[in-house]
PDB file of all heavy atoms in Angstrom:
ATOM      1  N   THR A 742      -5.153 -12.482 -11.436  1.00 95.00           N
ATOM      2  CA  THR A 742      -3.737 -12.789 -11.649  1.00 95.00           C
ATOM      3  C   THR A 742      -2.853 -11.611 -11.265  1.00 95.00           C
ATOM      4  O   THR A 742      -3.053 -10.486 -11.730  1.00 95.00           O
ATOM      5  CB  THR A 742      -3.482 -13.151 -13.127  1.00 95.00           C
ATOM      6  OG1 THR A 742      -4.398 -14.157 -13.524  1.00 95.00           O
ATOM      7  CG2 THR A 742      -2.059 -13.646 -13.311  1.00 95.00           C
ATOM      8  N   HIS A 743      -1.862 -11.876 -10.445  1.00 97.00           N
ATOM      9  CA  HIS A 743      -0.946 -10.825 -10.004  1.00 97.00           C
ATOM     10  C   HIS A 743      -0.171 -10.277 -11.200  1.00 97.00           C
ATOM     11  O   HIS A 743       0.189 -11.012 -12.118  1.00 97.00           O
ATOM     12  CB  HIS A 743       0.022 -11.385  -8.956  1.00 97.00           C
ATOM     13  CG  HIS A 743       0.820 -10.337  -8.250  1.00 97.00           C
ATOM     14  ND1 HIS A 743       1.978  -9.804  -8.770  1.00 97.00           N
ATOM     15  CD2 HIS A 743       0.622  -9.714  -7.049  1.00 97.00           C
ATOM     16  CE1 HIS A 743       2.471  -8.909  -7.927  1.00 97.00           C
ATOM     17  NE2 HIS A 743       1.662  -8.827  -6.881  1.00 97.00           N
ATOM     18  N   ILE A 744       0.094  -8.989 -11.172  1.00 96.00           N
ATOM     19  CA  ILE A 744       0.734  -8.303 -12.290  1.00 96.00           C
ATOM     20  C   ILE A 744       2.084  -8.916 -12.676  1.00 96.00           C
ATOM     21  O   ILE A 744       2.484  -8.897 -13.837  1.00 96.00           O
ATOM     22  CB  ILE A 744       0.887  -6.793 -11.966  1.00 96.00           C
ATOM     23  CG1 ILE A 744       1.428  -6.012 -13.167  1.00 96.00           C
ATOM     24  CG2 ILE A 744       1.783  -6.588 -10.752  1.00 96.00           C
ATOM     25  CD1 ILE A 744       0.499  -5.970 -14.333  1.00 96.00           C
ATOM     26  N   PHE A 745       2.789  -9.523 -11.706  1.00 97.00           N
ATOM     27  CA  PHE A 745       4.115 -10.076 -12.006  1.00 97.00           C
ATOM     28  C   PHE A 745       4.130 -11.597 -12.148  1.00 97.00           C
ATOM     29  O   PHE A 745       5.198 -12.183 -12.362  1.00 97.00           O
ATOM     30  CB  PHE A 745       5.115  -9.655 -10.926  1.00 97.00           C
ATOM     31  CG  PHE A 745       5.383  -8.181 -10.880  1.00 97.00           C
ATOM     32  CD1 PHE A 745       5.400  -7.494  -9.671  1.00 97.00           C
ATOM     33  CD2 PHE A 745       5.602  -7.468 -12.049  1.00 97.00           C
ATOM     34  CE1 PHE A 745       5.631  -6.122  -9.643  1.00 97.00           C
ATOM     35  CE2 PHE A 745       5.836  -6.090 -12.026  1.00 97.00           C
ATOM     36  CZ  PHE A 745       5.851  -5.422 -10.821  1.00 97.00           C
ATOM     37  N   TYR A 746       2.974 -12.227 -12.031  1.00 97.00           N
ATOM     38  CA  TYR A 746       2.955 -13.693 -12.020  1.00 97.00           C
ATOM     39  C   TYR A 746       3.545 -14.290 -13.298  1.00 97.00           C
ATOM     40  O   TYR A 746       4.408 -15.174 -13.246  1.00 97.00           O
ATOM     41  CB  TYR A 746       1.527 -14.193 -11.813  1.00 97.00           C
ATOM     42  CG  TYR A 746       1.383 -15.694 -11.935  1.00 97.00           C
ATOM     43  CD1 TYR A 746       1.997 -16.547 -11.019  1.00 97.00           C
ATOM     44  CD2 TYR A 746       0.649 -16.266 -12.979  1.00 97.00           C
ATOM     45  CE1 TYR A 746       1.874 -17.925 -11.127  1.00 97.00           C
ATOM     46  CE2 TYR A 746       0.523 -17.637 -13.091  1.00 97.00           C
ATOM     47  CZ  TYR A 746       1.139 -18.462 -12.168  1.00 97.00           C
ATOM     48  OH  TYR A 746       1.027 -19.820 -12.291  1.00 97.00           O
ATOM     49  N   GLU A 747       3.091 -13.820 -14.452  1.00 95.00           N
ATOM     50  CA  GLU A 747       3.560 -14.402 -15.707  1.00 95.00           C
ATOM     51  C   GLU A 747       5.048 -14.173 -15.907  1.00 95.00           C
ATOM     52  O   GLU A 747       5.748 -15.005 -16.486  1.00 95.00           O
ATOM     53  CB  GLU A 747       2.771 -13.828 -16.893  1.00 95.00           C
ATOM     54  CG  GLU A 747       1.310 -14.251 -16.922  1.00 95.00           C
ATOM     55  CD  GLU A 747       1.130 -15.750 -17.108  1.00 95.00           C
ATOM     56  OE1 GLU A 747       2.039 -16.390 -17.683  1.00 95.00           O
ATOM     57  OE2 GLU A 747       0.081 -16.280 -16.684  1.00 95.00           O
ATOM     58  N   ASN A 748       5.558 -13.036 -15.437  1.00 96.00           N
ATOM     59  CA  ASN A 748       6.987 -12.752 -15.548  1.00 96.00           C
ATOM     60  C   ASN A 748       7.838 -13.654 -14.660  1.00 96.00           C
ATOM     61  O   ASN A 748       8.981 -13.959 -14.981  1.00 96.00           O
ATOM     62  CB  ASN A 748       7.268 -11.288 -15.174  1.00 96.00           C
ATOM     63  CG  ASN A 748       7.038 -10.328 -16.320  1.00 96.00           C
ATOM     64  OD1 ASN A 748       7.908 -10.121 -17.159  1.00 96.00           O
ATOM     65  ND2 ASN A 748       5.858  -9.729 -16.361  1.00 96.00           N
ATOM     66  N   LEU A 749       7.284 -14.066 -13.525  1.00 97.00           N
ATOM     67  CA  LEU A 749       8.059 -14.815 -12.535  1.00 97.00           C
ATOM     68  C   LEU A 749       7.867 -16.319 -12.642  1.00 97.00           C
ATOM     69  O   LEU A 749       8.740 -17.088 -12.220  1.00 97.00           O
ATOM     70  CB  LEU A 749       7.660 -14.364 -11.121  1.00 97.00           C
ATOM     71  CG  LEU A 749       7.888 -12.892 -10.780  1.00 97.00           C
ATOM     72  CD1 LEU A 749       7.291 -12.576  -9.411  1.00 97.00           C
ATOM     73  CD2 LEU A 749       9.365 -12.540 -10.800  1.00 97.00           C
ATOM     74  N   LYS A 750       6.739 -16.742 -13.207  1.00 97.00           N
ATOM     75  CA  LYS A 750       6.391 -18.165 -13.250  1.00 97.00           C
ATOM     76  C   LYS A 750       7.485 -18.979 -13.938  1.00 97.00           C
ATOM     77  O   LYS A 750       7.945 -18.648 -15.027  1.00 97.00           O
ATOM     78  CB  LYS A 750       5.063 -18.341 -13.986  1.00 97.00           C
ATOM     79  CG  LYS A 750       4.547 -19.762 -14.033  1.00 97.00           C
ATOM     80  CD  LYS A 750       3.179 -19.824 -14.683  1.00 97.00           C
ATOM     81  CE  LYS A 750       3.222 -19.360 -16.136  1.00 97.00           C
ATOM     82  NZ  LYS A 750       1.920 -19.567 -16.824  1.00 97.00           N
TER      83      LYS A 750
END
Side-chain angles (χ1 to χ4, degrees):
T742 308
H743 191 277
I744 186 66
F745 294 134
Y746 174 65
E747 292 296 334
N748 277 276
L749 299 173
K750 183 176 63 173

